[in-house]
Amino acid sequence: MAIGIFDSGIGGLTVLDAVQKHLPDVPLVYLGDNAHAPYGVRDADEILELTRAGVERLWQAGCDLVILACNTASAAALRRMQEAGLPEGKRVLGVFVPMIEALTERQWGDNSPPREVAVKHVALFATPATVASRAFQRELAFRAIGVDVEAQACGGVVDAIEEGDMILAEALVRSHVEALMRKMPTPEAAVLGCTHYPLMQEAFQAALGTDTLVFSQADLVAQSLGDYLERHPDMRGESQVSMFLTTGDPARVSDRATQFLRRKIEFHAA
Ligand code: DGL
C-alpha cells in the first residue's frame, strides 16, 4: 500500500516532489483529475463529487492514506467527506493546516486557544472557490488573533499553467498581485494557497518584492506528512509501487509534468 496524492491536475506535483525529497522511501500514487481541471471555478457540490471519485480511485489503487494536494478540494470537500464518514482504516488529509500552523508558529496538533502571532498582514492567493469558502480564514481564526487576511481570487492562473502557457500565467500573477496590493500595500507574508502556484513562485516573489515572506506549502506538507507517518507507521504500507495516474490525456499530462519537474514522468490512464 502506497500513499495517495490527489489534485485536480498537475499542481499537486509540487507536493509530490517535496514529499519524495523528504521521504524518499515512501511509495506514492499520484492522481491528477486533469479531465475536470480547473476545480476553482466549480461549485462546492461538484468539487465534492469529483474529489470523492478521485479519492476512491486512490483507495482502489491500494492507498489507505490520501493527501488532498489541492487547496480547492481541501477547502470545499474535505470536511464534508470526513463528516459523512470514511471507510474503516482509510484516511484523507488536506493541505491547509500545515501551512496555517507554520504561519501561526504552532507545532503539529497544538490546539491551545488562539493567540497573537508575529505576522499581522497576510495576503492569500488562491482559486475563486477556495477564496469563496473562507476555509483559510476559519482555520486561522482557530489559532491566531489580530491577523488581517486579504484574499485575492486568482482567476485564470490554473488554466494557463495546465495549458503550459507560462507567459500568460506570469502576466496574470502580476495583475493579481497588483490587485491585492491595492487593498493591502505591505503584506508581511503571502500564502500561495493553490498547489499550482509554486510553479510561479518566482513571479509571485518578484511582484510582491523582497519584504514579503512567501510561504511554501509543499515543503510544509511534506514535513507534516513525515511527522504523521512517525505517529502512524501502519499507514505507510509495504508496497514499493509508485505510479502516476490521470483522468486526462496521459501523453499530454506526461509532457507537462516532465517539463515542470525537470525529470521524466510517465502518466497512465486512471
Ligand atoms: N491545485 C489546486 C489547488 O490547490 C488547483 C485547483 C483548480 O483546479 O482550480 O487549489
Side-chain angles (χ1 to χ4, degrees):
M1 147 179 71
I3 289 172
I5 300 197
F6 175 76
D7 182 41
S8 61
I10 53 174
L13 292 172
T14 58
V15 173
L16 173 127
D17 197 42
V19 171
Q20 276 183 333
K21 287 186 179 128
H22 194 70
L23 304 165
D25 300 331
V26 175
L28 303 172
V29 179
Y30 186 88
L31 172 60
D33 189 12
N34 300 76
H36 302 109
Y39 279 13
V41 290
R42 295 177 183 276
D43 69 32
D45 288 343
E46 263 183 304
I47 296 169
L48 175 64
E49 281 324 303
L50 292 169
T51 303
R52 191 175 273 147
V55 168
E56 282 170 4
R57 177 67 187 88
L58 285 165
W59 285 338
Q60 270 168 27
C63 304
D64 285 348
L65 172 62
V66 175
I67 311 291
L68 297 184
C70 176
N71 290 270
T72 309
S74 302
L78 180 59
R79 183 180 284 236
R80 286 168 75 189
M81 283 178 72
Q82 287 170 337
E83 280 170 3
L86 301 176
E88 207 184 321
K90 306 291 186 204
R91 294 273 181 289
V92 183
L93 301 175
V95 283
F96 261 58
V97 170
M99 189 172 61
I100 290 172
E101 284 178 341
L103 195 67
T104 56
E105 308 148 29
R106 284 181 183 240
Q107 298 299 323
W108 188 90
D110 171 356
N111 288 327
S112 57
R115 54 180 181 255
E116 285 207 27
V117 294
V119 287
K120 299 279 181 247
H121 304 283
V122 176
L124 168 68
F125 297 96
T127 66
T130 300
V131 169
S133 75
R134 297 191 60 82
F136 179 86
Q137 288 90 333
R138 188 180 60 230
E139 292 293 340
L140 187 67
F142 288 141
R143 296 168 177 84
I145 43 176
V147 183
D148 184 16
V149 177
E150 197 62 66
Q152 177 68 28
C154 298
V157 177
V158 168
D159 313 56
I161 295 173
E162 287 283 323
E163 288 302 316
D165 189 343
M166 304 318 269
I167 294 175
L168 174 60
E170 213 176 304
L172 288 169
V173 165
R174 268 200 304 273
S175 95
H176 287 306
V177 170
E178 277 167 21
L180 181 287
M181 287 173 97
R182 282 197 289 275
K183 298 178 278 181
M184 179 183 274
T186 52
E188 294 149 319
V191 169
L192 303 189
C194 168
T195 53
H196 282 69
Y197 299 171
L199 297 166
M200 303 306 300
Q201 183 147 348
E202 281 176 21
F204 274 103
Q205 188 74 70
L208 284 158
T210 46
D211 289 343
T212 305
L213 179 65
V214 177
F215 275 76
S216 161
Q217 189 175 36
D219 290 333
L220 296 168
V221 171
Q223 279 164 24
S224 154
L225 177 61
D227 288 352
Y228 182 87
L229 290 176
E230 261 172 43
R231 283 174 289 109
H232 303 273
D234 52 309
M235 298 307 286
R236 184 187 268 260
E238 283 164 9
S239 159
Q240 291 306 314
V241 184
S242 289
M243 59 183 157
F244 293 86
L245 301 171
T246 177
T247 57
D249 171 8
R252 195 179 141 84
V253 177
S254 301
D255 281 353
R256 291 272 183 280
T258 300
Q259 174 194 343
F260 286 133
L261 293 194
R262 299 195 180 93
R263 59 190 161 88
K264 180 108 187 88
I265 305 281
E266 204 178 329
F267 273 83
H268 300 277

